[in-house]
Amino acid sequence: LNFGETALSGTVTYDTDAEAFGFEGVANAYGVTAYLNGDDTDSLQNVGGEYVYTFTPGTEFTAGANYNLDSEDLNPTATMSFSF
């Protein structure tokens, strides 16, 4: 779903062998992406976000973090990418 500069999306999967559902919801606005995911036994396992800044075409800086609500692990990331 798009609402001007904001986009919402989601996915639901089912594993027939494990008989388990999984889901993820994603929101994008103004270069920021936020998400949450879980499954049928733990509806909210991870939350996170990311921001991408384009310096010039082919040069991007990305910063983000993932937080696992069960283990309370925070995993920040920062990358600079170049494409030629």
Side-chain angles (χ1 to χ4, degrees):
L1 301 169
N2 290 319
F3 304 99
E5 293 291 324
T6 303
L8 301 173
S9 63
T11 279
V12 175
T13 58
Y14 180 73
D15 184 339
T16 56
D17 294 330
E19 296 182 352
F21 283 96
F23 74 91
E24 181 168 271
V26 179
N28 296 299
Y30 304 101
V32 176
T33 301
Y35 66 89
L36 56 90
N37 62 30
D39 60 28
D40 57 348
T41 60
D42 188 358
S43 61
L44 191 56
Q45 292 176 350
N46 294 286
V47 295
E50 179 177 86
Y51 178 74
V52 177
Y53 180 79
T54 303
F55 288 102
T56 61
T59 306
E60 290 183 341
F61 173 73
T62 304
N66 180 72
Y67 183 70
N68 183 307
L69 294 165
D70 297 329
S71 65
E72 298 182 352
D73 287 334
L74 176 64
N75 298 310
T77 61
T79 58
M80 181 70 86
S81 63
F82 306 93
S83 59
F84 303 96

